Amino acid sequence: METRERNRSMTTRLSRITAGRKSSRPALGLVITTAFLICLVFYATLIRPSILGEDGPVETTSAALFLFATLLGLRTFFSKRRINRFDFQLILGAALWSLLLFLSEVSFGARIFDIEMPALEGGGQLDGGHDIAIILLRQLMKGDATSMILGLCLLLATVTAGVVLYQARHRIDRFAKDPFHFALLLHVTLVATAVLLDLIPGRRVSALEESVELVSASILVWAILVARRTWPVPG
């Protein structure tokens, strides 16, 4: 009896390990594909620097993909698909988030409608979501009392976020096992990376930032397409 129980226990463990490896293969494939696409776009920008810049092919493609993700997400949200309440809210959030990114890419219509956006202290205009990070960075570099308070607040927020993420690591692991959820997490990671790269001056860094941003838009579209394929439509 003891031998049988041990064999059953070993079989259960092996099946769980095998299932975990199988479930991680699509995620690993998506990560590898993402890295390859970033390198490909980045290499293209080094060969043809003219495709960068405002309203250039790279930025226009990113904006178009974000707009497509918005429309696709809203269509999925209003469709009669059998999904749970959490994913129902998540697809709506993804659509609205994509709309915000699209508006940020087109400078909230400033260049299209020839609107003068508010000027930033230190140069530039407030015409995108990434400018908030630039404002915070410039404020921190002043070195006054306000900068110290802001720095402490950011440090506290970072530590708090780290603690929360550590405590929720098991939930995040379960969340990321779903292909749709994992693609969303990868997209958010890419957007955060692009924002950080935008703070670093340099032509090559700017090219890398645009490349990451373009691929992040592609991953968001992919995430919604995966959701549409996974969630059934009642016949």
Side-chain angles (χ1 to χ4, degrees):
M1 290 295 293
E2 292 182 0
T3 304
R4 289 181 179 179
E5 289 296 329
R6 289 179 181 175
N7 290 335
R8 288 178 182 176
S9 178
M10 289 293 294
T11 303
T12 303
R13 291 179 181 177
L14 289 174
S15 62
R16 287 179 179 177
I17 294 173
T18 305
R21 289 178 178 176
K22 289 182 178 179
S23 63
S24 64
R25 286 176 184 175
L28 180 60
L30 183 60
V31 171
I32 294 175
T33 303
T34 299
F36 173 76
L37 289 175
I38 291 174
C39 293
L40 184 64
V41 177
F42 179 64
Y43 182 68
T45 59
L46 295 180
I47 297 176
R48 296 289 298 274
S50 59
I51 65 177
L52 292 173
E54 293 184 348
D55 299 328
V58 174
E59 188 177 89
T60 302
T61 304
S62 298
L65 287 172
F66 282 131
L67 180 59
F68 179 65
T70 300
L71 298 176
L72 192 64
L74 290 176
R75 183 177 180 181
T76 305
F77 176 77
F78 288 111
S79 65
K80 297 179 180 180
R81 295 179 180 271
R82 295 174 181 173
I83 56 177
N84 57 59
R85 186 175 181 180
F86 176 72
D87 284 338
F88 190 70
Q89 296 172 346
L90 198 59
I91 196 68
L92 176 61
L96 297 178
W97 167 252
S98 183
L99 177 61
L100 179 63
L101 293 175
F102 163 72
L103 293 174
S104 179
E105 282 296 303
V106 298
S107 301
F108 294 92
R111 295 194 300 273
I112 298 175
F113 301 105
D114 195 22
I115 301 173
E116 189 70 24
M117 299 298 285
L120 292 177
E121 183 180 355
Q125 291 181 326
L126 183 61
D127 57 0
H130 62 280
D131 290 323
I132 297 175
I134 294 177
I135 293 173
L136 292 175
L137 178 63
R138 289 179 179 176
Q139 182 61 47
L140 287 173
M141 292 176 66
K142 288 183 177 180
D144 53 10
T146 304
S147 302
M148 293 181 63
I149 295 174
L150 179 60
L152 289 174
C153 290
L154 290 175
L155 178 61
L156 179 61
T158 302
V159 172
T160 303
V163 172
V164 171
L165 289 174
Y166 178 77
Q167 292 179 343
R169 62 190 184 279
H170 298 300
R171 293 183 179 180
I172 295 174
D173 181 62
R174 290 193 298 269
F175 177 84
K177 287 181 179 179
D178 182 88
F180 169 59
H181 298 164
F182 181 81
L184 285 182
L185 287 176
L186 181 58
H187 161 74
V188 172
T189 302
L190 291 175
V191 171
T193 302
V195 171
L196 292 176
L197 289 173
D198 195 51
L199 301 176
I200 305 173
R203 186 179 66 85
R204 292 193 175 185
V205 178
S206 178
L208 181 59
E209 182 262 332
E210 292 286 349
S211 304
V212 172
E213 202 169 62
L214 175 59
V215 176
S216 74
S218 305
I219 294 299
L220 185 55
V221 172
W222 170 256
I224 299 176
L225 289 174
V226 168
R228 290 176 62 85
R229 185 185 63 181
T230 306
W231 300 336
V233 179

